Amino acid sequence: MIAQEFALQYPHRVRSLILGSTAAGGPHAVPAQPEALEALVRRDVTPEQSKEAIIPFLYDPATPRERIDEDMVIRMKWYPTPQGYMGQLQGIFGWEASSRLAQITAPTLVIHGESDRLVPPANARLIAEQIPNAKLVLIPHAGHIFATDQPAAAHRAILEFLAVQQPRAQTQV
């Protein structure tokens, strides 16, 4: 969402754009499943219980638990404070770019896991339809954290997109 806003506010500073597992907000955004929202906002659990409760909404069911545990060790090092976390959720729910996406001119890759239960893949389709010439890649057997679920497919899609990008003329600011 920050990348979308940056591309809208500073188009001359964006050569290309990769939007992964995101939405654009607004009236047409497809919300997370109610169970996912409940897991996100529960405060009556320990951090460990919270982590376990959100795992089904972040990862594809076929992802090996060892890979999830490895990923979670890394993620937990930067886990936000409760105040920061609630601020993040408020920002997400109060922001929208859907009415402005057609203004994005940078070559854009929209990449999303097909089994994302936190930010449903319909949001990726909406974004790709609104950004001129955007490329949409939906990764099978991948959830919200598609790079952990399907690292080879994610890397391949991203590297293929970047390989065809031409450096844009530098604008003096």
Side-chain angles (χ1 to χ4, degrees):
M1 293 174 182
I2 292 169
Q4 291 173 64
E5 192 63 38
F6 189 91
L8 288 162
Q9 295 292 322
Y10 307 101
H12 60 282
R13 301 194 68 180
V14 179
R15 289 185 189 167
S16 60
L17 185 62
I18 299 174
L19 302 174
S21 297
T22 192
H28 303 293
V30 180
Q33 296 177 349
E35 309 85 51
L37 293 175
E38 182 180 316
L40 285 174
V41 299
R42 282 193 71 186
R43 294 289 138 225
D44 61 339
V45 295
T46 67
E48 184 62 29
Q49 290 169 324
S50 178
K51 178 183 87 169
E52 287 301 316
I54 197 66
I55 284 175
F57 304 103
L58 296 179
Y59 303 95
D60 186 81
T63 300
R65 181 60 197 227
E66 304 80 42
R67 189 177 301 158
I68 292 170
D69 290 343
E70 180 181 290
D71 190 59
M72 279 296 194
V73 166
I74 295 166
R75 292 180 182 286
M76 294 309 284
K77 290 178 184 177
W78 293 283
Y79 199 77
T81 64
Q83 181 181 7
Y85 183 73
M86 292 311 288
Q88 178 185 1
L89 290 178
Q90 287 175 337
I92 289 169
F93 294 131
W95 172 83
E96 82 82 31
S98 62
S99 64
R100 302 173 288 145
L101 289 177
Q103 298 170 27
I104 294 177
T105 58
T108 302
L109 170 64
V110 180
I111 185 169
H112 212 103
E114 282 186 347
S115 60
D116 189 342
R117 296 173 63 197
L118 190 59
V119 179
N123 290 295
R125 289 183 190 95
L126 289 170
I127 291 170
E129 289 169 0
Q130 293 179 52
I131 297 175
N133 303 310
K135 177 180 179 178
L136 174 63
V137 174
L138 296 174
I139 301 177
H141 310 292
H144 190 67
I145 314 293
F146 61 82
T148 297
D149 291 332
Q150 296 295 331
H155 294 157
R156 182 173 45 257
I158 291 167
L159 292 174
E160 286 175 3
F161 172 76
L162 292 174
V164 298
Q165 301 312 308
Q166 297 293 327
R168 295 173 86 181
Q170 295 293 317
T171 304
Q172 295 296 330
V173 182

